[in-house]
Amino acid sequence: MFAAYAASIDRDQPLNGLELGERPDPEVRPGWTTVTVEAASINHHDLWSLRGVGLGQESLPMILGCDAAGRDEDGNEVVVHSVIGQSGHGVGPREPRSILTERYQGTFAERVAVPAWNVLPKPKELSFAEAACLPTAWLTAYRMLFTNANVRPGDSVLVQGAGGGVATAAIVLARAAGLRVYATSRDEAKRVRAVELGALEAYEPGARLPQRVDAVIETVGAATWSHSVKALRPGGTLVISGATSGPSPKAAELNRIFFLELKVVGSTMGTKDELEGLLHFCATTGVRPVIDSVLPLDRAREGFEKMSRGDLFGKVVLTV
């Protein structure tokens, strides 16, 4: 079957390790099933995998891709939950959780094998391309907002780095849930787009906000960390799920964190139940993932290049 896969690891030039070509059909284990992929979306996780983060040389070649929507063995339209081992289904109770492509072959292929437990019905209201955007970036944003930040309608939230997959999802979901949303981006066009999607205002990174917020959604890391901490009201919550600008900020702002009793919460992906909730949320509210571009799988390199440059707003979807 045709696939996009990591053939080698290159920490400095990750796209050097990306190959497109034929790979063996997926191996189906007891308790697993095969999904025929209709659409899959690219995440920063895929780019980090090519750098060797979470993916060792001994696991190569590895088909990339966490997210997918397609058809199960009976022809039903489905969405894949990409966290393997969260429940023990299909892998045993002692295997630690992992994301597709860390231990098991991913979704940038004609077919992917996953535990049967990891397959959810796709709502008929969502297209395959839209559904394929949800299981990683949008699920991450959903959990950050509604589980870990525990925000409610009327609360205020700052989303750092508008344009990225998680940040874009957070803006749209927060607005749909009745939150007051502020956003930041270095790019003026992305700030304009953030407002169009529902942010009250969008600012350059580090700008003073009109008010301190109840929660900050942080995926940028070192470059925006200090601003994120300073933007919070006393007792507010900073939820972080990524650090695309690096993991080591110049100032940790520890004095402010303990004096104002701020909460810092790490967040990774989400549960199957949360993904089901997100699917229903989108189906019933009319919220749809923001898609930057749709490319056929054989043009996957173009999608990776867009993500590497940061030249996108929303998700890049690959169709099979």
Side-chain angles (χ1 to χ4, degrees):
M1 64 177 182
F2 188 79
Y5 60 96
S8 61
I9 301 297
D10 190 325
R11 298 186 185 280
D12 299 319
Q13 300 292 329
L15 295 188
N16 288 346
L18 178 65
E19 297 285 348
L20 280 70
E22 293 297 315
R23 295 298 305 149
D25 279 335
E27 174 189 352
V28 181
R29 302 164 175 82
W32 288 51
T33 188
T34 300
V35 173
T36 299
V37 178
E38 295 283 349
S41 66
I42 303 176
N43 293 285
H44 274 287
H45 178 80
D46 302 306
L47 205 55
W48 286 111
S49 294
L50 288 167
R51 296 183 187 274
V53 178
L55 179 62
Q57 198 78 35
E58 71 283 354
S59 299
L60 300 179
M62 175 64 75
I63 298 172
L64 297 170
C66 303
D67 295 348
R71 301 181 189 274
D72 67 13
E73 294 172 347
D74 296 321
N76 301 306
E77 297 184 353
V78 298
V79 180
V80 173
H81 177 49
S82 61
V83 182
I84 308 298
Q86 196 169 57
S87 64
H89 286 82
V91 297
R94 292 190 178 136
E95 180 172 320
R97 70 175 183 175
S98 64
I99 301 172
L100 277 176
T101 75
E102 292 177 340
R103 290 172 179 264
Y104 302 105
Q105 302 291 328
T107 61
F108 294 166
E110 296 175 64
R111 290 171 294 281
V112 62
V114 295
W117 184 87
N118 285 66
V119 177
L120 292 85
K122 179 182 79 65
K124 64 181 186 302
E125 294 87 352
L126 299 176
S127 69
F128 284 113
E130 290 166 344
C133 296
L134 299 179
T136 296
W138 279 68
L139 177 60
T140 297
Y142 184 89
R143 179 176 176 82
M144 291 175 80
L145 283 166
F146 305 126
T147 301
N148 288 327
N150 196 29
V151 287
R152 298 176 294 180
D155 285 349
S156 57
V157 61
L158 168 64
V159 179
Q160 298 281 22
V166 174
T168 302
I171 293 169
V172 175
L173 291 171
R175 177 62 174 176
L179 302 172
R180 289 170 290 147
V181 187
Y182 302 100
T184 68
S185 176
R186 294 174 298 176
D187 185 278
E188 183 179 358
K190 291 182 179 180
R191 294 196 295 271
V192 171
R193 185 76 174 114
V195 172
E196 292 173 350
L197 289 175
L200 293 175
E201 298 288 346
Y203 305 92
E204 292 186 0
R208 186 181 182 88
L209 303 182
Q211 64 178 100
R212 290 187 180 179
V213 296
D214 297 291
V216 175
I217 302 302
E218 173 64 86
T219 59
V220 179
T224 55
W225 181 261
S226 183
H227 182 237
S228 292
V229 175
K230 292 175 181 176
L232 284 169
R233 64 162 176 78
T237 303
L238 192 164
V239 186
I240 179 167
S241 70
T244 55
S245 67
S248 303
K250 291 181 180 179
E253 306 293 347
L254 296 181
N255 288 346
R256 184 178 292 267
I257 288 172
F258 72 72
F259 186 73
L260 296 180
E261 296 187 315
L262 306 179
K263 293 181 283 293
V264 177
V265 183
S267 190
T268 299
M269 297 292 287
T271 66
K272 180 183 174 182
D273 287 344
E274 287 167 331
L275 178 55
E276 187 174 24
L278 171 60
L279 289 165
H280 288 316
F281 185 89
C282 291
T284 57
T285 63
V287 164
R288 295 295 181 267
V290 180
I291 296 176
D292 176 272
S293 51
V294 179
L295 299 169
L297 181 59
D298 60 6
R299 291 171 57 189
R301 184 173 294 275
E302 294 177 41
F304 273 84
E305 288 170 348
K306 285 176 70 73
M307 176 160 284
S308 182
R309 294 193 305 265
D311 181 25
L312 78 176
F313 197 104
K315 300 290 291 178
V316 176
V317 176
L318 303 177
T319 56
V320 181

